[in-house]
Amino acid sequence: MNWKTFKVFLRSLRLPVIALLGGLLVAAFALDDSEPAKPAAANQEARGEQPQIRDGLSQLREENAKLKEENAQLRKENQQLRRLLAEKVEGNVTSTTATNSISSVQTNQAITEAEGQLTHWFTTSSGKRHNNRCRYFKTTEGRLCSPDEGKPCKLCGG
Ligand SMILES: [Zn+2]
């Protein structure tokens, strides 16, 4: 076979090739046409699965019933817990109020005691204590103090 005859041979092949391609396309369409047959097979499979599905459904129903029972029980428990919680909260409120009143009484006492003790004036710069009759009482920079704090003032005696 020389080159020319080969070319001719190729040319002569073109038609068959196109015909072959066309045939393949037709075959492809034919395959597409055959696809609707598949669901039928799927149906057959589904028919085979139906008993399983029934079993699954009955299991699900049983589980559902169980869950409903559990739910009812949980509701009951929840109500009980709420009652207990309400009782506890009420108890806590009363006890907290009691504690608060006690602590406020204690605080008040502490304040009264402290106020009773803070009868003098402590001058920060000199570290001296003045009584309320002294001219330095609350006129200098300082703070209220107890009668025994700092050094007594020489003018008022502290
Ligand atoms: Zn003084």
Side-chain angles (χ1 to χ4, degrees):
M1 202 191 280
N2 62 26
W3 182 240
K4 274 186 181 177
T5 47
F6 183 67
K7 270 190 171 178
V8 171
F9 176 68
L10 276 180
R11 264 177 213 160
S12 67
L13 265 180
R14 269 183 199 168
L15 267 175
V17 164
I18 289 163
L20 187 70
L21 283 172
L24 281 173
L25 279 170
V26 169
F29 278 119
L31 280 173
D32 279 347
D33 287 343
S34 69
E35 266 185 9
K38 276 185 181 174
N43 276 341
Q44 278 177 353
E45 280 171 30
R47 264 174 226 146
E49 281 170 7
Q50 265 180 1
Q52 286 178 349
I53 289 168
R54 271 179 210 157
D55 286 348
L57 276 176
S58 60
Q59 273 184 357
L60 282 173
R61 271 177 205 148
E62 276 173 33
E63 275 171 31
N64 197 18
K66 274 181 199 171
L67 283 172
K68 272 183 186 170
E69 274 176 36
E70 279 182 13
N71 202 11
Q73 277 183 347
L74 284 172
R75 265 187 207 163
K76 275 182 198 172
E77 282 180 15
N78 201 8
Q79 281 177 350
Q80 283 176 345
L81 282 172
R82 270 187 198 163
R83 262 179 234 153
L84 282 171
L85 197 69
E87 281 167 23
K88 263 199 172 182
V89 166
E90 276 171 26
N92 277 345
V93 167
T94 40
S95 63
T96 320
T97 324
T99 323
N100 276 347
S101 56
I102 289 166
S103 65
S104 67
V105 165
Q106 281 172 344
T107 321
N108 282 342
Q109 277 178 350
I111 287 167
T112 324
E113 277 169 28
E115 275 177 353
Q117 284 173 351
L118 298 176
T119 50
H120 289 64
W121 188 253
F122 180 84
T123 306
T124 322
S125 55
S126 62
K128 280 176 185 168
R129 179 186 74 238
H130 309 277
N131 62 39
N132 57 5
R133 291 176 300 277
C134 181
R135 61 188 178 115
Y136 295 117
F137 186 78
K138 285 188 180 176
T139 55
T140 55
E141 208 168 299
R143 57 175 170 83
L144 283 167
C145 67
S146 55
D148 53 356
E149 223 176 304
K151 297 172 210 163
C153 165
K154 278 172 191 171
L155 286 170
C156 65

